[in-house]
Amino acid sequence: MRADLTPIRTQLRAYMQTRGIRHTEKNWQCPQHDDEHPSAVLYEDAAGARLYCPVCDKTWDIFSLCGLLDGIAEFRDQLKSVRATLGIPEPERERKPRKAEPQPFPDDKKAEFEDVIKSLIAKKGEITGSWKYNYPEGVKGIDIRFEKPGEKKEVLTFWYDGQRLKWTDPPVLIYNIVEVGNDKPLLVHEGAKCAAAAGVLDHFASLSWSGGSGKAGLADWSALADAEVYVLPDDDVPGIKAARTIKQALPHAKIIRPLPAARALKPKGADIVEVLQVMTPDEFTAYALDPKNHMDVSEMGPDPNPPGSSAPPPSNGQSGSGLISEPFKILGQGDDGRAVFITQEGRLVKWHLDTLSKNKLIVLTGRAYWSAFYPSKGGPDYDTAIDDLMRLSQARDFHESDIRGRGAWRDGECISYHDGIHTQGEYDPAKIYLRLPVKDIGINDDPVSPELVSRIKDIVFKMSFETPADVVRCLGWSVLAPFAGALDNRPALLLTGPSESGKTQVANLIIRKLAACEWFNGCESTVAGVRGKIRHDATAIMFEEAEADTPKKKQNREDLFSLMRVNTSNDAPDTVKGTKEGGYNSFKMQNMFGFIAIDPTVENVADENRIFRVNMVKPTNAGEWEEIRAEITRLLCEENCRGIRALTWVKLKIIMALASKIEKKIRAITGRSYRYNFNDAMLASAFIVIWLANDDPSDEQVEATLKKYYNYQPPESTRNEAEEIVDRLLDEVIEVLHDRNREKLSIAECLQKIYAHDTRKPSEGESVSGEITVKDYRDTLSRNGIRIIDGVNVAIRNNHHAIKRIIERGNGYSKILKRHPGCIESQKNVYFYDTGKAAQCTIITGLIGKGEAEEKFEEDLGALFE
C-alpha cells in the first residue's frame, strides 16, 4: 500500500519558509520569473497546499516546486529531497508477508469443502461446471463456475493454503500440467473449459492457466521450457496480449493465428469451442501445425507490461482515451500519411513512417523496453522494432477529430472538461485527451455565493459602459468563454470605445480574469502563430490593440476575423494547412474570440453578423473611478474568479437550455438569423443564470429582461452583402465631360439627374432644356456599365470591367447582385450607348426616385455653363 503523502503536501508553507522564498503578508515570490513584488498566492486546505502565480498561470505543489527549484525530475527524488528539507525521516519499509503456497487438497477435508461450496450456491447460483488442477502432488485447485439467472457468470478458484479452504487471492495454476513430459506437443488455451473441450484433439495435450487473460504473466511456465508448445489465443485483444506474454516466457512457443471463420459464431473472443464448430479436429490440427498460420511477434503489438518499464497509470483514469498503462500507444496512420503515437509519458507525437529512427523509438519509451523485447548482441535491434512499428501503424486508422486538448468538450448532451491531466464530467472514452501542462481554472472549487456575484455585478454596472446592455454582453461572454468547446455556437466580442474610455481596464480587471483566456497582441499576432499556440485547446482568445489604422494592421485584423469566423459554431469546416513534407495539418478549433479596438467598424458582412459589440464611453464619474477599480480588483481576486468558473461549470447545461428558450423570443424581436439570435441568447442566458442567480425564469421575466436589453441596445440590422456592393457602386465618383467643362459627381447623383430630367413635366409651351447635357450623363454611365431602363429601374451590366474595378470583385459579382432585395431580373439584355450593343444586366429597382436633384435640376444646368 502506498504511503499517504497528504501530511507532507500540507507543509508547503513551511517548506518555502525553510527554502528562504521571499513573501509578504498575502503573496509569495514566484519561483519561475523575476518577481520584484511577490505575485504568487498560496492556497491551503486539508488535502494539501498549492502555490499559484497568476502572471505565469502556473501551479505547484510541494513536490513540483522542489523539482523546479532543484532541477529534479523523478518524483521519488523530489520526495526524498522534501523530506530532507523538512527533517522528516524516511519511513521504514514494511515487509510483505510471504504469500502462502497452494497445498494439495487433503482427503480428510473433503466433507468440509463440500459444505463450503454448497453454502455458496445460495449466493452465487447453480454450479454449471468445474475443473480440477491436477499436479503430481495432488489436486491444488478447483475452478467452479456459478451461474445465476439474469446475472453474469462467475468462476471461483478454490485452493488450500495448508490450514483452510480459500477462494480469494488464488494462486495462478497450470491446468493439466501433469501432461507435461508426455510425447504429445502442448497446446495452451485461455481457460480450463477450453482445455477440457480440446480433449478431442488426439495430436495435442491441452493446457491452460487460472485467472483469465490478465494473469498469464503470473503463471509459472518453466515446466514447459523443453516442450513443443503451441498457443491458441482467444480472438480478442486481451487474448492476443496473453499470448504475447506467454511467448515472452517461452520464446520457442508458436502462436496460432485465430480463425476468421470462428468469428461468425462469436465475434469477440472466439476460442477452441467455436473453432471445432467450423472445422474437424484433424482439420484444426493441420491448421495449427502449418507455419504459415503462426503469428509473428509484430502482429501481436507491444507488450503491455515489459520488464524494467515504469509506465505510469492513465493520467485521468480513463480506459481507451489514448493514455493507457502501456509503455506507449500506437494510434495509427492519418490521412496525411503520418503515424501518430502517445508516448510513455502521455505526449502526442506525429511522424512520417520513413523517418522512424532509434531516437524516436526512445522518445516513445525508454531503452529498457526495446532491450527486453528486441534483444541483440550489440544492444536493442532497432531495425526490427521500426519494421514492426511501421506495419502496426499502417494497420490502424487515426482520426484527427478524436484529439482533445485542454478545455471543455461536448459529445451529444455530455459535457466534460480536460485540464491537461484530468478529464472530468461526462467524457467520451473513445477520444484522445492529450497530456499537457495543467490549466486548472477552478471547476472543482466551491462555487461563489449569490450575494458575492450580485455585488460584483453591481460594481461592474458602475463602470463606463455605454448602456446596461453592454454590461450584459461583457459579463455573459466572460463567464461562457472558459467553456467555449462545450458550446454549439460561440459568440465573438468586440470591446470598443474612444481612447481613455476604460477598455483596457475592463479587459484586464474583468474579462481577462473571468475568462482565463489567452491574451494576444492584435496588431502583430498572426493566424499561423495563434493556431500554433492554441493547437488542440478549446479556450477563449482575446486580441488587444486590434486596430485597422494602417493597411498592414487592417489585413491582419481581417485575417484574425476570418479565423474567428470558422470558430463560431461546431458545424464550421476544418482548416487545413500544408507542411514542408507534403502532408498537412488539420485544425478544428473550438474557441471564443474577443477583440479590443478603438475602431468599431467591421467591413466583412459575414464577420459583422457574428460579432457582438460592447461599447465604452468616456467616464462621467471620473472621481469614483479609483474606488470602483479598487473594489473590482478586490472582488475579482483569483479565488473568487475560480469560484465563478466553478459556478458556471455547474450551471452550464442550465444556461444552454435557457438559451434555446430565449432564442425564440429574440427571433420575434430582431428578425435576424438563428445563429445571431442564439449567440445573443447565450449571452443573455449566462447573465440571467449566473449574474441574476435565476436558474428558471418565467416567460414574463425573460420578456421583461429582453425588453430592457433591446431598449438600451436596439438589435443591429442584418447587413446584406449585395446591398453593400450596390451602395459602394453608387457612391463611386465619376467625371462627366460637358463640351469643355468637367463635372465630378457620384453615380447615384448622376442617375438622379437623369431620372429628374426624364420625369419632369414642362408647362404648356415650355421647351425642355438640357438635352445635350443629359446625354453626357447617359454616355458616362454607359461607359461604367450602368443605365436607367423603364424609367425607374437601374440596369447594372454583368461582368463589366469598370464595375469590377469599383467594387473590387471578379466576374461573378452578378451572382451576388441577384441577392439584392430590389433585384427583379438577373439576365436581361439591355442596349448600351457606348458600345451600340446589348449586354446582359441585373435589373434593380428602388435605387432612384424623386428628390432634391429633380427640384434643382435646371438650377444645376444653368450653373454648369455660367
Side-chain angles (χ1 to χ4, degrees), residues 173-230:
L173 304 169
I174 302 294
Y175 179 79
N176 262 0
I177 196 170
V178 292
E179 295 289 340
V180 177
N182 296 336
D183 294 335
K184 290 183 178 182
L186 304 178
L187 179 60
V188 180
H189 305 264
E190 182 183 327
K193 177 186 174 183
C194 292
V200 298
L201 301 173
D202 294 332
H203 185 80
F204 297 103
S206 290
L207 284 71
S208 185
W209 71 98
S210 62
S213 61
K215 298 292 183 68
L218 301 178
D220 182 3
W221 299 104
S222 59
L224 285 65
D226 298 326
E228 183 181 359
V229 180
Y230 295 80

Side-chain angles (χ1 to χ4, degrees), residues 560-588:
L560 294 176
F561 278 173
S562 177
L563 180 63
M564 170 274 296
R565 195 184 314 148
V566 297
N567 267 269
T568 52
S569 66
N570 284 343
D571 56 7
D574 289 354
T575 298
V576 179
K577 296 289 183 179
T579 64
K580 294 180 180 179
E581 298 82 9
Y584 69 87
N585 287 317
S586 175
F587 298 89
K588 181 67 171 181

Side-chain angles (χ1 to χ4, degrees), residues 60 64 97 170 255 284 303 305 322 348 468 535 562 586 619-621 702 709 739 747 753-754 761 802 813 829:
W60 300 271
S64 58
I255 312 299
F284 171 73
D303 173 59
N305 297 296
L348 181 97
R535 296 182 64 79
S562 177
S586 175
T620 57
N621 56 345
V702 170
Y709 182 81
D739 195 8
I747 289 176
K753 287 180 180 292
I754 297 172
K761 296 179 181 179
Y813 67 78
N829 285 321

Side-chain angles (χ1 to χ4, degrees), residues 464 494-503 547 596-600 614-618:
S464 54
L494 175 58
L495 180 62
T496 184
S499 180
E500 298 182 2
S501 60
K503 296 187 303 299
E547 304 297 347
I596 307 170
I598 294 174
D599 183 2
V614 170
N615 301 303
M616 307 292 297
V617 294
K618 290 189 176 181

Side-chain angles (χ1 to χ4, degrees), residues 502-523:
K503 296 187 303 299
T504 302
Q505 297 288 351
V506 168
N508 284 296
L509 295 178
I510 301 173
I511 297 176
R512 190 171 187 176
K513 289 184 174 183
L514 288 173
C517 52
E518 297 290 337
W519 206 260
F520 296 111
N521 181 309
C523 296

Side-chain angles (χ1 to χ4, degrees), residues 534-564:
I534 301 301
R535 296 182 64 79
H536 299 287
D537 288 352
T539 185
I541 303 172
M542 181 64 75
F543 295 95
E544 193 169 12
E545 302 296 334
E547 304 297 347
D549 49 2
T550 68
K552 181 180 178 181
K553 290 181 181 179
K554 179 180 179 181
Q555 183 58 54
N556 200 58
R557 174 160 141 162
E558 293 304 312
D559 291 343
L560 294 176
F561 278 173
S562 177
L563 180 63
M564 170 274 296

Side-chain angles (χ1 to χ4, degrees), residues 339-459:
V340 187
F341 307 89
I342 300 288
T343 71
Q344 177 173 335
E345 302 303 326
R347 308 294 184 183
L348 181 97
V349 292
K350 296 182 181 180
W351 296 317
H352 284 282
L353 290 175
D354 58 4
T355 67
L356 289 179
S357 63
K358 166 186 171 181
N359 289 338
K360 287 182 177 177
L361 266 60
I362 293 174
V363 169
L364 291 179
T365 188
R367 288 181 175 86
Y369 174 85
W370 306 110
S371 297
F373 299 107
Y374 294 91
S376 65
K377 291 183 179 179
D381 184 356
Y382 287 110
D383 289 339
T384 302
I386 289 171
D387 182 59
D388 288 348
L389 275 181
M390 291 177 70
R391 284 192 285 172
L392 286 168
S393 299
Q394 292 179 84
R396 304 178 188 179
D397 295 324
F398 168 73
H399 301 285
E400 189 81 27
S401 59
D402 289 339
I403 292 181
R404 299 284 176 82
R406 293 164 296 194
W409 300 96
R410 186 175 184 181
D411 297 286
E413 296 302 314
C414 298
I415 296 174
S416 61
Y417 191 89
H418 180 59
D419 65 8
I421 294 295
H422 305 98
T423 308
Q424 302 174 63
E426 305 163 305
Y427 59 81
D428 182 352
K431 303 302 182 184
I432 301 162
Y433 296 89
L434 297 180
R435 178 178 173 181
L436 297 163
V438 176
K439 185 175 182 180
D440 177 12
I441 65 170
I443 64 173
N444 291 319
D445 289 14
D446 293 330
V448 294
S449 67
E451 294 76 18
L452 177 59
V453 170
S454 179
R455 176 60 182 153
I456 294 171
K457 169 182 66 70
D458 292 344
I459 292 297

Side-chain angles (χ1 to χ4, degrees), residues 18-234:
T18 304
R19 295 297 300 263
I21 295 178
R22 187 163 51 87
H23 63 93
T24 64
E25 183 179 348
K26 293 184 177 180
N27 299 91
W28 294 76
Q29 180 183 4
C30 175
Q32 189 163 276
H33 73 275
D34 230 357
D35 204 7
E36 182 179 348
H37 301 289
S39 56
V41 182
L42 179 63
Y43 295 95
E44 298 173 290
D45 54 39
R50 60 192 183 278
L51 182 68
Y52 172 75
C53 176
V55 178
C56 304
D57 195 19
K58 297 288 185 183
T59 303
W60 300 271
D61 67 358
I62 192 169
F63 301 114
S64 58
L65 181 61
C66 170
L68 178 66
L69 295 175
D70 298 335
I72 300 174
E74 293 291 334
F75 176 76
R76 61 185 179 184
D77 295 331
Q78 294 171 359
L79 177 58
K80 185 176 181 180
S81 176
V82 168
R83 279 179 169 147
T85 301
L86 296 175
I88 301 173
E90 292 283 342
E92 293 185 7
R93 292 188 177 182
E94 296 182 5
R95 292 187 178 182
K96 292 183 179 180
R98 188 173 182 179
K99 188 174 181 179
E101 292 292 329
Q103 302 297 318
F105 282 62
D107 292 336
D108 61 352
K109 295 285 186 180
K110 183 177 179 182
E112 181 183 336
F113 292 169
E114 288 178 353
D115 290 340
V116 171
I117 292 172
K118 286 178 182 178
S119 69
L120 289 172
I121 292 176
K123 299 178 181 179
K124 305 289 185 181
E126 294 297 320
I127 295 175
T128 58
S130 63
W131 299 270
K132 292 181 179 180
Y133 288 83
N134 292 302
Y135 277 71
E137 304 91 334
V139 177
K140 289 190 175 183
I142 303 175
D143 276 355
I144 298 181
R145 183 169 70 177
F146 297 89
E147 289 191 33
K148 208 170 189 178
E151 296 185 14
K152 191 176 180 181
K153 68 180 182 181
E154 185 175 8
V155 178
L156 299 180
T157 300
F158 293 85
W159 61 292
Y160 182 64
D161 67 356
Q163 295 181 345
R164 57 193 179 93
L165 179 68
K166 302 177 70 174
W167 58 91
T168 58
D169 195 22
V172 180
L173 304 169
I174 302 294
Y175 179 79
N176 262 0
I177 196 170
V178 292
E179 295 289 340
V180 177
N182 296 336
D183 294 335
K184 290 183 178 182
L186 304 178
L187 179 60
V188 180
H189 305 264
E190 182 183 327
K193 177 186 174 183
C194 292
V200 298
L201 301 173
D202 294 332
H203 185 80
F204 297 103
S206 290
L207 284 71
S208 185
W209 71 98
S210 62
S213 61
K215 298 292 183 68
L218 301 178
D220 182 3
W221 299 104
S222 59
L224 285 65
D226 298 326
E228 183 181 359
V229 180
Y230 295 80
V231 180
L232 178 64
D234 282 8

